[in-house]
Structure formats: structure tokens, C-alpha cells
Amino acid sequence: MTGCAFGERLREIRQSAGMTIEELSAASGVSGRAISDMERGHSRAPQERTLAALTGALGLADPDRAGLVALVRAERAGGRAGRPRTGELPRGIGDFVGRERELRELRGHAASGGGRTPVALVHGQPGLGKTALAIRAAEQLRDLFPDGQVYLDLRGTDPEPMGAGEALRRLLRALGVESRGIAEDEQERAGQLRAITRERRCLVVLDNAADERQVRPLLPGAGAGMVVVTSRRLLGGLDGVLRIGLSPLTSAESAQLLRAVAGRAFDQAPGYELGAVTRLCGHLPLALRIAGTRLASRPGWTMGHLAGRLADADRRLANLQVGDLGVAAAFALSYAQLSGPAKVVFRRLAHVPGADFAAAHAAVLAEVDAGEAEDRLDELTELGLLQHEGCERYRFHDLIRLYAADRLRCEESAQARARTGRRLGDWLLDTAVAAGLRFAPDAGGPGPDDRPGLPASASPEQARAWLRAEADNWLPALRSAAADGRHQRVADVGEALHWHAERSVHTGRWAEVFGLSRAAAARLPDRRQEITHLAYYGWAVSVCQRRHAYGVDLAMEAYRLAEDLGDTREQAAAMHHAAHAWRLGADACQAVAAYRLALDLAGTAGDHDGYVQVRMGLAQALVEFGRPDEAIEEFRGVLRELDARAVDPAAARMAAMTARAALARCLGDVRRWPQSLAEAVRALPLAGAHGPHFAGRVHLTLGRSHSALGATEQARAHLTRAIDLLGGHDSGPGTAGSRAPSCTRALCEVEIPVWAWHRGIAQHAHVGVHCAEHRTTSIGVAQAALADLDGRNYVDTGQTAYA
């Protein structure tokens, strides 16, 4: 471009003002290279902002300024205007909502150059509004880039994305380089782009990038400009890049966007209908915009009508489409880019019933090893089709899950889907059984085999973690097995899990689990299984749901069945469950009588393990009913029976630890402190072998005993240790975390014991004074200790004593 009247006039004015190009650049903020290109006619007419900066720096009077403006307008009228159309920013969204934090990050990054051109990557799953954010940022950052803005769609989701060479050619043309001046070699073009952007303060938006290989040659080196890249991929191979991952909108932002698009239909909608629509849209900007557009273009529709349509999961994606815009179409672009094996994993993950899953699920569904499953999950995550949930788990966005289910229905036969779903369900239930058996008294060795997600050598802690993490997956699998009439399978799961249930009473699922196993067992020919699962169900409704009367009814139903069969052992077990339910219902007379009957029945049946457990339960009941002297004799009786009876070794170790710890506590309750201290000393090594919550309880008793005997330093040491072991620990049967307040109160002072009783269970809060003037403060501490206990309900499982 030669003979540019504007450029020649600009040079004349600059020289008349006695300014060099460098001086004008410093004064105006326009790069020296850009000024040089204008004067030589090598660039197009400047934008209004650039022109204003130049005329201001030159100090032009109104006539000279008007003359320059006229020259610019004349060149534009002659077809020499601004950037070429191919480099113009697309039209922005007028009702843009949210993303304030991301916009602040981009503005801050724009000002952080320091020599190297800042590059930001906006990434995330389809439909989150990555392009909209990039354009909004460009609009807000115009003042920082007087040399202009350039936009290029790299078509990264097309079957054939734009090549780097073609992208370089388009960027160079948009920056004013004539076609004949663009190098043929791709590397030379990249050098040309770096040379131009080094001298210009311009913003480049590279939208919809395919991969690192496409983007890397387009990035400047040093310079005062900025590049914003958008991509569904993380582009982990690019270094020195600010990565901004987008998430769905918040509930408030979703409502704001829906209001902006839907208009009148939004204003007339009640809040619950609005909440339903935003939730069913998954707070995804694309889905919300489509939903709002459908409402705005259909005057007869209401928000409730749309919510009803979206509530049908099988039709939700079809209802989230308007014109050529659709949520499913956006997802399909990413799905098409997956490898064949990743497509299989993606669609089969729709079989997972819960919200999140791990690589083990993918391995089972796709019938591959764990390593290959992880590779496929990485591919899905890279394309934004999966999201990380913690360290080793993943989840779908709700709408992407529906798309995966749609692909599964379309691409696999009903028979294949049934086989895959059954394979996943069997694996979940097999692993749940293996995990549950890790809590059985004789579970000393490895499990039956090495399962994905739960190795054969899994510890009880690992088994507990798996059961908790997978609760929303194995429980639906159990429901499916029950619905399919696989009665023995359901009963086997219930039998295995009852060991774990007794150690996690507050999870809220056990009444359903044992309700299913009870119903299944009732359909089996072996009536003894029905008795067993009736008892388990009775335990669950009493302990977990606090429906103690119903728990008694179920236990007595099991007792009558056992009586009909002449099975004394099962009679003893059923009566034990009835006694426990009466005990939790605070019916002391019935509970003690039932325990004693169960004790006689277990003795008659020769059930040594059961006999010890029943006697332990009787002793604990006596504690709760305020009869500590009788409880002391029963705990001592338990210890004698352990020496006299052939009890399972693992169960015997647990019973000995529990009995000694509880005996020490009871002796302290009746102020027999030397004996309490002696028993606690014996209990401590046993408790330490069973986990921190048991050891913490014994340290609490030791602290109380030492305090009462005047050994202040020893008391403080044990109470401090109790706090360390019990504070926040929740692996015990519902009580460990609740011990920390008592220990803290005990540690505050060590002289005055305060007894707090709640629902018949003795809870101890030691409060005292260092000296007389602190007595008022200590009373407040005591009241706080009691307040900590108020409203709590500590449940004994029959396996362990409460300290």
C-alpha cells in the first residue's frame, strides 16, 4: 500500500512538531512499528481510538485534527478501512451474565506482560460460553490495545481443523500484510507474525483451538499485545499460559441469564418453576439460552410448561434445541473427536447409577485393564466430556450424561446394553461383599481375589472407604438385583454388609439394605436365612431409624420363626436383637429380662461367641440404666467367660478390650479410682490395636482417674492424647468425634468432675479450676460441656462400649 495521504500527512505533522517516531510512540501509547507502517502506507487507516491517541500526543489544534480525520474517512470510503472483515471480532452477547472473576483474571493478565506477550487459555466442556467470555473480555480490554484486535476461528471441532499455515496467513492479512508479502514457508510466516506483534499493542483471539500443534506457531514471543485462546481441551503441552477453566453458572447467575433471554415468561414464573428449569439445564449457559429463547418465542408457554418438558430425561436434549442451535449438537462435536475405544467408555459410563465413578468402573464396562481405562478417561477429560471429582474420581455434567445414554441406546443393541449393565452390577455387588467381609471377626487374611478398585489385601479402612465412595452405585445395583428376583444374591450382600453396618450406623442406608435382604430371604427355601435377615432389618429400623417398637416386633417375629424351627441358637440371636431394641427405647425392665433370656438360650445352644456378646450387651444396658455396680460385675463376668469359652480369637480380642475399657470407666463412675486406673492401664494396649477411637476413650478414662487421684501432669498428658485421637475422628461407631469436647473440657481444669447424662448414656465432661478465683469460669465450661451433649443421640451397636 503506497501513496497513503493520511500517512504522508501524519509524517509531516510529526516532523513539524520535532518528534521522532519513538517519541510519538511514547507519548501516544501506539507502538513505533504501527506508526511507521501508517506513515509508509503499509497499514490500513487507524481506528478511532488510535487516531485520538496520536492527535492528542501531537497536540493538534482543531483544524489539523479535523484534517486528519477527514483523510481517514476518505480512505475508509475508498475501501481502505480498518482491519479486514475476516479479522473482525464477532458480535458480542448483549445479555452476557456472570464470569466476573474470570474477566478480572484476564484484565490482570493483560497488564502482566513484562516483555513476553501474555497468553490466556479459556477451556472447558461444550456449552459453557468460552467464546462469549473471550469476546466480552476483548470488548472490555479495548483501551489496553490501541493497535487493534484480531479474531480467528481455528475450527478446532471441525473434521478438518484449520492448519497452522493457513491460520498464520489469515492472521498476517488481518494485521495488514499484503498477500504477496506473506512468506510461503510456515516457519517464516510464524516469524513474520512474531515480528509484527512485537511492535504492536494488539489483542488476538484464537477461538476454538484444536490442539497444541495448531496453536503453538501462532503465539507471539516478546511484545505488548495479548493472546486469548479458547478450546475444549486443556492444551497441557503449552507452557507459560494462564489457564482459566470454566464451570457452570451459579443458581443466581442462571436465573439472571434466563430472565434476560425469556423476558415476560420469566417475570410471571414462580420461584420453584424457575429453579426447576435452571437445574434441569444444568446451569449450562448454552442450555439456559436455548430454554429462554424457546419461552420467549412461544407466548403460550409458561415456565412450568417448559419445566415439565425438561423433566422427561429421555426428551430433555431434544427440548434443548432451537433453530440450528442445540446442546446435543455441541456435545456431538466433541464425541466425534474421540478415538473408538474412548467412545465405548464414554457411552457405557452411562450405566453407572451414581453421580461419580473411578477408573475401575470404566475398566469393567469396557472390559479393559485399569491402565487403558485411565488413558481413555484422560482423553474424555481432555475434551471436556468428563470432570475430575477429587483426585481419582470423575463425573459427568448432567446433560452430558444424558447424551452418553443417548449414544448408548443408538450405538449398542438392547442385548449388549443388558450384558454390560449386568456386568457392572455384578462387579459392584461382588466388591461390596468382599469389602463387607473385611469387617467379619475372622477376616484376618486376604480376600477371595484381587478386584479392580479393591485389592485382595485391602484393609478394613480401605474397604470402608470403598463402601462409602460407592454407596450410590452398589445400592442401586442391589435394588436391581432385587427387582430381577435374584434373591440369594441380595441375601448374600446383606449377610456380608451387616459387619460393616454395625460400625457405620449413621449412613442412612441400612434400613433399605436389610429391608431388601429380608424380603429376598423370605422367598428362599432356607427359613434360617429369613430369621437372620429379619433380625438385621429389626436392628436397622431400631438403631438407624429409632423406630424401636417396630424393631422389637421384627426381632420377636424372628424369634417365633426360630422357635417353630426349634433352632435355639437363632432364638438367642433374635432375643438379643429384641433386647437391644428395648434398650434403645429406654425400656429397662424389658431389655434386662430379654438379655437374660438370650443369655440362657445362647448358653443352652453352646453358642460361645453369642453368649459373650449378649453378656456384653447386658452390661452396657446396666450402665445406661444407671446401675453401675451391676454393670461392673457383668463386665468382669465377660472377662471370665472369655477365659472359659472357646470364642473366636478376633471376637475375643475385641470383647476383652471393650470389657476392660468399659469396666475401667464404670469403676470411675462409682469413684473407685485406683481400680479404674488399674483396669485402664490393662485396657490401653488392647485398645491401641483396634484403632485411635478406642485408644482415645481409654486415655480419657486414664485422664479422669489420674485427675481424681491428684496426678495433674499425668492427667493432662492422657487428656491431651485423648483429644489428639478423638478430635474429628469418625471411623468409630458413631461416637469418636463426639469425645473431643469432653476431652477439651477435661483438659481445661482437672479438679471438679461434672457428670453429663444424655438419653441414659453417661457422657463425661471433666471441669475444674486451677485455683479458687477460676471457679466461676469453670462453671461456664461445665455448662458448655453439657450444651455440647444436648441434642445428640449416641447409639451403641452391641459390639463396643461407649467411654
Side-chain angles (χ1 to χ4, degrees):
M1 183 185 304
T2 58
C4 173
F6 166 77
E8 293 172 356
R9 180 59 180 154
L10 177 63
R11 183 187 301 110
E12 291 174 3
I13 294 173
R14 175 181 61 78
Q15 291 173 345
S16 297
M19 298 179 72
T20 65
I21 289 178
E22 290 73 18
E23 288 171 336
L24 179 57
S25 173
S28 65
V30 180
S31 70
R33 175 63 179 271
I35 295 171
S36 175
D37 286 347
M38 290 178 208
E39 292 184 354
R40 290 180 295 159
H42 290 172
S43 67
R44 301 175 185 273
Q47 298 180 21
E48 296 294 338
R49 295 185 311 281
T50 303
L51 181 59
L54 291 171
T55 56
L58 290 166
L60 296 184
D62 287 341
D64 290 332
R65 179 183 291 108
L68 275 180
V69 170
L71 289 174
V72 169
R73 289 175 178 173
E75 290 190 11
R76 287 178 177 170
R80 303 163 65 92
R83 296 185 306 273
R85 297 173 63 86
T86 54
E88 290 286 346
L89 286 173
R91 180 185 178 187
I93 296 175
D95 49 21
F96 187 90
V97 167
R99 309 302 189 197
E100 286 85 359
R101 178 183 60 80
E102 291 85 354
L103 288 168
R104 285 195 301 271
E105 285 188 69
L106 287 169
R107 177 168 283 276
H109 195 53
S112 68
R116 189 177 185 185
T117 301
V119 179
L121 169 66
V122 179
H123 63 92
Q125 69 185 51
L128 284 173
K130 298 179 290 295
T131 300
L133 173 62
I135 294 171
R136 172 54 62 99
E139 292 171 347
Q140 293 186 356
L141 296 174
R142 286 185 189 277
D143 58 320
L144 297 181
F145 300 103
D147 291 341
Q149 297 171 313
V150 176
Y151 171 88
L152 181 62
D153 182 357
L154 295 175
R155 302 202 303 266
T157 54
D158 286 7
E160 292 292 334
M162 183 183 295
E166 173 63 14
L168 286 164
R169 186 189 70 79
R170 295 194 181 201
L171 288 173
L172 290 169
R173 288 289 296 122
L175 290 168
V177 179
E178 295 289 345
S179 297
R180 62 178 178 271
I182 297 175
E184 292 295 326
D185 181 74
E186 181 178 307
Q187 292 186 1
E188 291 182 8
R189 289 182 183 180
Q192 285 181 294
L193 180 64
R194 288 192 295 273
I196 292 173
T197 53
R198 184 183 303 117
E199 300 297 330
R200 298 189 188 180
R201 293 178 61 186
C202 60
L203 173 67
V204 177
V205 177
L206 301 176
D207 192 24
N208 192 15
D211 53 34
E212 296 91 336
R213 183 173 57 183
Q214 181 193 44
V215 172
R216 194 174 285 113
L218 313 182
L219 299 182
M226 180 180 181
V227 177
V228 178
V229 184
T230 75
S231 179
R232 298 185 180 193
R233 297 180 183 271
L234 186 61
L235 304 186
L238 297 181
D239 60 351
V241 173
L242 170 67
R243 287 180 168 79
I244 300 177
L246 297 190
S247 301
L249 298 177
T250 65
S251 297
E253 291 169 341
S254 296
Q256 185 181 351
L257 177 56
L258 198 56
R259 175 188 289 113
V261 181
R264 180 188 56 81
F266 178 94
D267 296 334
Q268 297 175 350
Y272 68 89
E273 291 179 355
L274 170 64
V277 170
T278 57
R279 176 179 54 81
L280 292 169
C281 288
H283 304 288
L284 196 69
L286 175 61
L288 291 163
R289 191 167 294 282
I290 292 172
T293 301
R294 297 199 74 182
L295 276 174
S297 61
R298 292 164 173 79
W301 281 24
T302 64
M303 193 71 71
H305 179 78
L306 178 60
R309 281 177 168 259
L310 295 177
D312 182 355
D314 292 337
R315 294 284 301 160
R316 191 175 305 159
L317 292 179
N319 280 294
L320 289 174
Q321 180 172 343
V322 59
D324 63 348
L325 197 62
V327 171
F331 298 157
L333 292 174
S334 290
Y335 184 70
Q337 293 184 301
L338 295 173
S339 64
K343 287 180 178 178
V344 171
V345 170
F346 172 76
R347 60 179 181 257
R348 289 186 180 178
L349 282 171
H351 281 295
V352 179
D356 57 86
F357 43 82
H361 301 76
V364 172
L365 287 165
E367 298 181 277
V368 297
D369 61 36
E372 184 174 347
E374 289 174 355
D375 290 343
R376 301 288 79 79
L377 291 173
D378 285 345
E379 186 177 346
L380 295 173
T381 304
E382 172 72 12
L383 263 172
L385 292 172
L386 280 186
Q387 302 158 359
H388 276 290
E389 183 77 0
C391 182
E392 296 181 346
R393 297 186 72 82
Y394 305 82
R395 69 183 301 135
F396 280 125
H397 183 276
D398 291 346
L399 296 179
I400 294 180
R401 176 187 288 277
L402 293 179
Y403 181 74
D406 179 71
R407 289 298 85 210
L408 184 64
R409 286 191 297 270
C410 292
E411 298 184 32
E412 299 194 17
S413 67
Q415 294 82 359
R417 297 198 303 271
R419 285 194 301 271
T420 305
R422 178 71 172 264
R423 183 166 62 249
L424 177 66
D426 284 344
W427 171 75
L428 287 166
L429 295 182
D430 286 344
T431 312
V433 167
L437 291 176
R438 299 305 297 155
F439 299 93
D442 57 351
D449 56 15
D450 197 357
R451 303 178 184 282
L454 186 69
S457 58
S459 66
E461 288 72 23
Q462 290 173 303
R464 179 183 295 109
W466 189 93
L467 287 167
R468 288 179 177 175
E470 300 297 342
D472 290 336
N473 291 321
W474 63 255
L475 185 51
L478 186 65
R479 293 183 192 124
S480 295
D484 292 342
R486 300 165 67 192
H487 304 310
Q488 189 60 61
R489 178 70 145 158
V490 174
D492 289 344
V493 174
E495 177 62 34
L497 289 178
H498 89 273
W499 301 108
H500 172 58
E502 292 176 346
R503 291 162 172 80
S504 58
V505 297
H506 298 298
T507 57
R509 69 180 70 95
W510 299 120
E512 181 181 4
V513 170
F514 295 122
L516 292 171
S517 70
R518 173 222 181 174
R523 292 172 172 81
L524 295 173
D526 183 358
R527 301 301 300 279
R528 286 176 175 78
Q529 289 195 72
E530 183 179 1
I531 296 170
T532 298
H533 290 278
L534 262 173
Y536 293 161
Y537 185 47
W539 171 87
V541 299
S542 181
V543 171
C544 303
Q545 297 183 330
R546 298 184 177 88
R547 299 162 63 192
H548 306 307
Y550 186 33
V552 169
D553 290 343
L554 291 166
M556 293 309 296
E557 183 181 347
Y559 178 82
R560 287 189 291 273
L561 281 173
E563 195 173 33
D564 291 343
L565 293 176
D567 191 325
T568 308
R569 180 187 291 260
E570 291 296 344
Q571 285 178 257
M575 189 56 64
H576 187 190
H577 282 287
H580 193 52
W582 270 313
R583 169 183 156 195
L584 294 178
D587 190 334
C589 182
Q590 291 278 27
V592 172
Y595 274 121
R596 296 199 186 283
L597 177 55
L599 203 60
D600 291 341
L601 290 167
T604 301
D607 181 1
H608 302 306
D609 288 2
Y611 185 93
V612 169
Q613 289 298 319
V614 172
R615 192 156 191 180
M616 185 77 73
L618 173 59
Q620 291 163 339
L622 291 168
V623 171
E624 295 168 18
F625 296 138
R627 295 153 66 174
D629 291 321
E630 294 176 69
I632 287 170
E633 292 309 312
E634 290 301 331
F635 282 126
R636 283 176 170 159
V638 169
L639 294 172
R640 289 194 300 271
E641 295 295 343
L642 288 173
D643 291 334
R645 293 178 179 272
V647 180
D648 175 85
R653 288 191 294 271
M654 173 66 86
M657 180 276 297
T658 302
R660 287 206 180 276
L663 177 59
R665 182 204 65 197
C666 284
L667 289 165
D669 290 350
V670 296
R671 294 175 171 77
R672 292 156 67 175
W673 297 112
Q675 296 178 57
S676 174
L677 181 61
E679 289 296 341
V681 169
R682 293 189 185 97
L684 187 58
L686 299 173
H690 285 86
H693 51 286
F694 295 112
R697 294 169 193 173
V698 178
H699 279 290
L700 177 56
T701 301
L702 285 166
R704 292 179 58 217
S705 300
H706 280 297
S707 174
L709 294 171
T712 301
E713 291 306 315
Q714 293 92 325
R716 287 185 179 278
H718 283 292
L719 292 170
T720 301
R721 183 59 178 153
I723 290 173
D724 291 341
L725 293 171
L726 297 175
H729 189 83
D730 65 351
S731 63
T735 63
S738 69
R739 282 289 169 270
S742 294
C743 298
T744 304
R745 306 290 184 251
L747 188 57
C748 289
E749 311 291 349
V750 292
E751 292 180 10
I752 302 176
V754 175
W755 310 104
W757 294 83
H758 180 67
R759 293 182 187 252
I761 303 176
Q763 303 293 334
H764 309 294
H766 252 53
V767 181
V769 291
H770 286 300
C771 51
E773 61 265 31
H774 292 157
R775 186 171 301 276
T776 301
T777 302
S778 72
I779 292 172
V781 175
Q783 291 171 339
L786 292 168
D788 276 348
L789 297 167
D790 186 40
R792 299 175 184 261
N793 185 20
Y794 301 108
V795 182
D796 179 20
T797 67
Q799 293 285 325
T800 56
Y802 286 85

